[in-house]
Amino acid sequence: MFLHRRAAFVASFTMCAMSTVATRAADEVQESARAIPVVCEVDVLVVGGSTGGVAAATSAAEAGAKVFLAAERPYLGDDMTATLRLWQQPGDQCDTSLAQQLFADPEQKDKSLVPPARPMHVKKTLDDALLAAGVTYLYSCLPCDVLRDAGGRPCGIVMANRAGRQAVIAKVIVDATTRATVARMAGASFRAFPAGLQTMKYVVIGGRMHESPGVTARITAPPYRGPFPNPAKTSSGQFQVIEYTLQVPMAGDTEAAWAAAEQLVRSKTYDPEQQFTADSLYQVPPDSMHARQAYVGPWQGAQQLPLDALRPEGISNLYVLGACADVPRPAAEHLLQPGALIVLGTRVGKTVAEDAAGMTAPTGVHLPGSPPAKPVAEGDVCEVLDGVRPADQSATVPQDRRALPVLGRYDVVVVGGGTSGAPAAIAAARQGAKTLVIERVHALGGLGTVGTVACYFHGYRGGFTSTVGGGDSWVIEQKMEWWRSELLKAGGDVWFGAIGCGAFVLEEQVCGVVVATPRGRGVVLAKVVVDATGNADIAAAAGAECQWTDDRDFSLLPAGVAPRQLGATVGGADFCIVDETDMVDVWHLRVYAKEKHSWVFDQSPIIDSRERRRIVGEHMLSLLDELNDRTYPDTIAVAESIFDHGPTGGYTTDPVFWAGAHAAKRVVNIPYRVCLPKGLDGILVTALGISAEHDAIPMVRMQPDLQNLGYAVGVAAAMTAQSGRPTREIDLHALQQHLVEMENVPERVLTDQDSYPLSDEAVAAAVRDFPTDRQNATVILAAPKRALPQLQQAFDASKGPAREAYAQILGILGDNRGIENMIGTVRVAKDWDNGWNYRRWRRDADGTFRVIDPGPSLSRLDRLILALGNTGDRRAVPAIVEKLRGLDADSDFSHHRAVALALEALADPAAAAPLAELLSKPGMSGHAHTSIEIALERQSPGPNRNNVECRQNSLRELMLARALYRCGDNDRLGENTLRGYTQDLRGHLSRHAHALLTKSHPSGVFD
């Protein structure tokens, strides 16, 4: 099979396994045996981040237990925050310290009429409680299997998240999920889920009430009072909290039925003036569990409830903390009130800590299973199994060969409903393909909706983008509804709250997606999969080669978690870099982002990242392609942007900038081939996961351009599904003709050919004119072999400034012919010139962003030193070291980077001592964030959304330590610094340090 033939590659991207279900599904596929990485072994495992789950975890930890909590959502307190039931319920006894803190919001100024708490306040309060108790926890982890010990008893779970799947081993499990998901997976017995009308509640903040047959509404509490911004032109300056009660038809307890119910509720309650909507429906579950002791009396308070009503009949080491407990349904409604749930959770936490103290650690831990009797499709399940931190090595537990249920069959499955995914799904559905969107949050639109960047900055606004509701700037909730209603109108389906966490593959053909949902895990079969995760998640799981942080020089576009305010539209954030495949990094970012923005109403459920993991496709889009206006025969989208690295920017890595070139605004052609992962069929990649180099991303990442690209990929997916042909054999001309008619692309693409290789005349002219126009470096570096001999001749014949220019471009190409000229120029400069620091923008008094530095992020001396390093000639070392000795913590970032890159490329032991001296200067070292306490202390709080100091200091230290290590080190200072960074909570820094320490040989700049 495909995965077995690529054994070396699959060693790090291993195939995954299936979910255990209480009853076998009618349709199943096979997944093979494999090993699952272990996150940790604990006394108590709490699954679910409800208020009760947090109370149980803190209580158990305070009683001496080692505790891990797996939160299903990207935040805690989902019984309040996901449902927006943020007010104190009548009769709820909030007499615990935690409950009182939840409803004592310090930002509420008017104490006479207390509105519900802010979601941010609830989330942060629960974070603080877990941190204070020493509980380890992660967000966005969906349980998908139950581990068993040698005696067959439950002893932990397997969970799914963006990093793949991992195991948590525990003596006792507390199931705090909404529908007792873990207990169901463990085989607990439940009463039947009744088909027919179900009573659901749903909360909306702001807007007008809408009642209809089967739909009633009420105002629940005093409103949130302003003054608020009012871009939606609402009829009131205050926002009421509206609770709807609906009678919703459901065919049963299936993923499709729950998804359909949610869409029906959202459609019936939508109002253009609404400000926030709940992420989930609220229901008292009708199908309670059969417990060891059924509680049949009236509700007498959480203190009086026998805990055996929470313990499944016939199953040990497991408690159900929620409304699926074996209590009457009226009592279950009382149980769901935060005050009661916290009291019960506190009791459960203390009890399970006592239980665990008397138990030995489980042995023979494994994930059992049995193969499908008759698979409905050939293939195997593939998944990344690298652990929650990809660079860490961990123990594993074995999983047997088993069956995975088939949750659905579609022509096109789009994983990710964001900036590119929503257009792709709408396009595929409009072309007649049966289409499903898998989206991990509860809205479509991604960055432009839940990410709060509710306007266009740059980008081509014709084509499909011109038809998208809202215009050039929009109201967030209105834009969410436009995407959702257009998808439904086109006949598409959407599953919110689900994660695409693997691929179903037959040899080199992707045949479906592995999906983890709040109700379990299975596969959705598809003729074509569109990976719109923006992180190449499905392609990576299927075995595609990807590019991401390794031991080489790296730069990343900035990211952040955006605050969201009532009434506001445009937000966004830019204060970090983040690796979304590292769940520890994601956790620590969300924790300190709440500290940074504790005063806001809420926080975005997604991370506003401008760059993520990308595939290696049939073509790798480069900055040189863009700057040389390269055309292709397979162009399917055009982008139009400046070289935009974001408000605080990121430094450039392409050598074209070393030569002094710059990147001006232009139109960029995007070929179909960047969407095709090498070696795989049946899958197309769009959004930020396309095959493109780091410095190529800024010009193709704008929302209008990604929307148009997503639309083109969606049409291509539908054409592929309907024709039955491979993705590489699509009728490209027919696709382009449709896109021309849509005005997505200009008519010229129908006849465009590849403009590479560049002509000999163009190369000769670029060499001739380079000294007077450094922009010619774009042509020279696109044809280096042809340009090199001409550059050598030009250098020999030149003098003055032209000679320096030719010496520099020769050095960039690895030729040392002009080294003496460059050394002389560097030595003549007594002081450093003006360099570059992280901030690329300023905000004027009127709020307008202005460009400070248009892109190179290097000074003239920086560029010369980089060229010297790339010659490979160690005669340059003394001159570089002279400049190094003039650096300290106050020097510009670009100077440190230039020196570090040049010296590590030369790898001369003579540079080790000077590098160590620089690292030992005041303020130069000790910038690793090895604990959440350090991260919280160093991140700047307050209204400034953009913070650069922490990022800049850490990267400077890491770069210099890397250079020191590769120059032979000095008293192991470089190695020890790198080892410290392997423990950094920031995923990219940890990953980079690990890669450096495991590399067996020094690496040059271009390695």
Side-chain angles (χ1 to χ4, degrees), residues 548-549 554-558 577-578 611 649-651 694 838 951 988:
W548 207 212
T549 300
F554 76 94
S555 172
L556 289 157
L557 301 183
I577 55 177
V578 61
E611 180 180 5
Y651 53 87
H694 161 71
Y838 241 95
R951 192 184 344 166
H988 287 289

Side-chain angles (χ1 to χ4, degrees), residues 42-71 76-77 98 126-138 172-176 319 321 341-354:
V42 295
D43 299 317
V44 175
L45 164 63
V46 179
V47 185
S50 68
T51 54
V54 170
T58 56
S59 175
E62 289 165 357
K66 182 180 180 182
V67 183
F68 180 86
L69 184 145
L76 298 172
L98 180 58
L126 296 174
D127 266 342
D128 292 345
L130 290 178
L131 292 172
V135 175
T136 302
Y137 65 107
L138 292 175
V172 186
I173 305 169
V174 177
D175 182 353
Y319 289 75
L321 178 57
L341 198 57
I342 288 170
V343 169
L344 187 59
T346 303
R347 291 179 59 203
V348 168
K350 182 179 179 180
T351 299
V352 295
E354 293 171 353

Side-chain angles (χ1 to χ4, degrees), residues 155-344:
C155 62
I157 65 163
V158 176
M159 60 189 186
N161 47 49
R162 194 159 211 177
R165 272 199 316 154
Q166 311 88 31
V168 179
I169 300 172
K171 297 176 182 177
V172 186
I173 305 169
V174 177
D175 182 353
T177 63
T178 302
R179 290 192 45 75
T181 302
V182 178
R184 294 174 194 270
M185 292 174 178
S189 174
F190 285 76
R191 294 167 178 84
F193 186 90
L197 291 178
Q198 298 286 328
T199 299
M200 304 283 184
K201 294 186 178 182
Y202 187 66
V203 176
V204 174
I205 298 175
R208 296 160 297 185
M209 291 191 293
H210 294 270
E211 295 191 324
S212 60
V215 180
T216 59
R218 73 182 183 100
I219 303 298
T220 64
Y224 292 100
R225 297 184 179 276
F228 297 113
N230 199 10
K233 298 180 175 55
T234 56
S235 54
S236 171
Q238 59 189 26
F239 299 129
Q240 302 282 3
V241 181
I242 306 169
E243 182 184 59
Y244 287 94
T245 301
L246 307 95
Q247 299 302 310
V248 180
M250 289 189 66
D253 184 21
T254 66
E255 194 59 42
W258 281 100
E262 180 174 355
Q263 299 314 312
L264 178 65
V265 169
R266 289 182 181 275
S267 295
K268 285 183 174 292
T269 58
Y270 173 72
D271 184 84
E273 295 187 7
Q274 70 191 31
Q275 294 294 307
F276 273 73
T277 55
D279 284 351
S280 67
L281 309 179
Y282 169 83
Q283 183 193 39
V284 177
D287 50 340
S288 58
M289 175 185 68
H290 290 288
R292 297 186 180 188
Q293 176 186 347
Y295 178 73
V296 295
W299 179 254
Q300 296 180 347
Q303 285 287 6
Q304 306 304 314
L305 187 67
L307 295 187
D308 274 352
L310 313 182
R311 305 181 70 186
E313 186 178 26
I315 297 178
S316 60
N317 309 337
L318 178 61
Y319 289 75
V320 170
L321 178 57
C324 284
D326 201 347
V327 300
R329 296 302 81 194
E333 188 156 11
H334 287 285
L335 176 56
L336 283 177
Q337 296 175 340
L341 198 57
I342 288 170
V343 169
L344 187 59

Side-chain angles (χ1 to χ4, degrees), residues 455-467:
C455 69
Y456 297 145
F457 286 90
H458 301 285
Y460 169 61
R461 302 179 191 185
F464 173 77
T465 287
S466 68
T467 71

Side-chain angles (χ1 to χ4, degrees), residues 878-889:
I880 298 172
V881 167
E882 285 179 20
K883 286 293 175 287
L884 176 152
R885 295 191 189 281
L887 297 176
D888 57 27

Side-chain angles (χ1 to χ4, degrees), residues 71-102:
E72 297 175 282
R73 299 179 184 271
Y75 50 79
L76 298 172
D78 47 280
D79 54 317
M80 295 178 66
T81 52
T83 63
L84 291 184
R85 295 172 64 82
L86 297 160
W87 62 93
Q88 187 170 340
Q89 307 292 326
D92 189 15
Q93 297 298 312
C94 295
D95 48 8
T96 64
S97 174
L98 180 58
Q100 291 169 0
Q101 290 176 55
L102 291 176

Side-chain angles (χ1 to χ4, degrees), residues 731-958:
D731 187 341
L732 187 61
H733 184 79
L735 172 61
Q736 289 176 318
Q737 186 65 55
H738 172 75
L739 297 174
V740 168
E741 293 169 0
M742 282 286 297
E743 299 184 359
N744 262 43
V745 293
E747 191 171 1
R748 64 168 171 79
V749 305
L750 299 174
T751 55
D752 274 350
Q753 298 299 314
D754 197 331
S755 57
Y756 273 26
L758 300 173
S759 69
D760 290 340
E761 293 78 11
V763 175
V767 170
R768 181 192 67 227
D769 298 338
F770 177 72
T772 57
D773 185 358
R774 297 299 184 94
Q775 202 62 21
N776 284 292
T778 64
V779 174
I780 292 170
L781 294 179
K785 291 183 179 179
R786 284 184 288 158
L788 183 58
Q790 299 179 52
L791 288 167
Q792 291 170 336
Q793 293 175 8
F795 173 80
D796 291 340
S798 64
K799 58 184 178 179
R803 192 170 180 83
E804 178 186 319
Y806 284 126
Q808 186 176 345
I809 190 69
L810 283 168
I812 291 169
L813 291 174
D815 189 295
N816 69 350
R817 186 171 299 238
I819 189 170
E820 292 180 355
N821 179 286
M822 289 190 287
I823 289 174
T825 303
V826 169
R827 279 185 160 155
V828 165
K830 295 182 179 179
D831 299 315
W832 280 97
D833 50 4
N834 290 328
W836 177 90
N837 285 306
Y838 241 95
R839 188 173 300 279
R840 287 187 58 244
W841 300 76
R842 69 169 183 264
R843 189 189 288 273
D844 289 350
D846 63 359
T848 304
F849 276 121
R850 305 284 183 191
V851 178
I852 294 175
D853 183 348
S857 65
L858 297 165
S859 73
R860 175 172 173 255
L861 275 178
D862 294 334
R863 296 196 299 270
L864 281 167
I865 287 171
L866 286 166
L868 279 172
N870 215 51
T871 63
D873 191 329
R874 290 183 174 179
R875 287 181 292 169
V877 171
I880 298 172
V881 167
E882 285 179 20
K883 286 293 175 287
L884 176 152
R885 295 191 189 281
L887 297 176
D888 57 27
D890 294 326
S891 302
D892 291 332
F893 175 83
S894 65
H895 301 331
H896 289 281
R897 176 172 177 255
V899 165
L901 282 176
L903 290 177
E904 74 167 286
L906 295 167
D908 189 344
L915 283 165
E917 290 173 11
L918 177 56
L919 266 175
S920 300
K921 288 184 177 180
M924 292 295 296
S925 298
H927 298 292
H929 292 188
T930 53
S931 71
I932 191 63
E933 290 77 16
I934 293 174
L936 289 171
E937 177 185 350
R938 293 181 181 171
Q939 289 297 329
S940 63
N944 178 20
R945 294 195 301 269
N946 304 327
N947 181 33
V948 297
E949 184 178 357
C950 288
R951 192 184 344 166
Q952 184 160 286
N953 290 344
S954 299
L955 286 170
R956 180 185 64 197
E957 181 182 12
L958 190 53

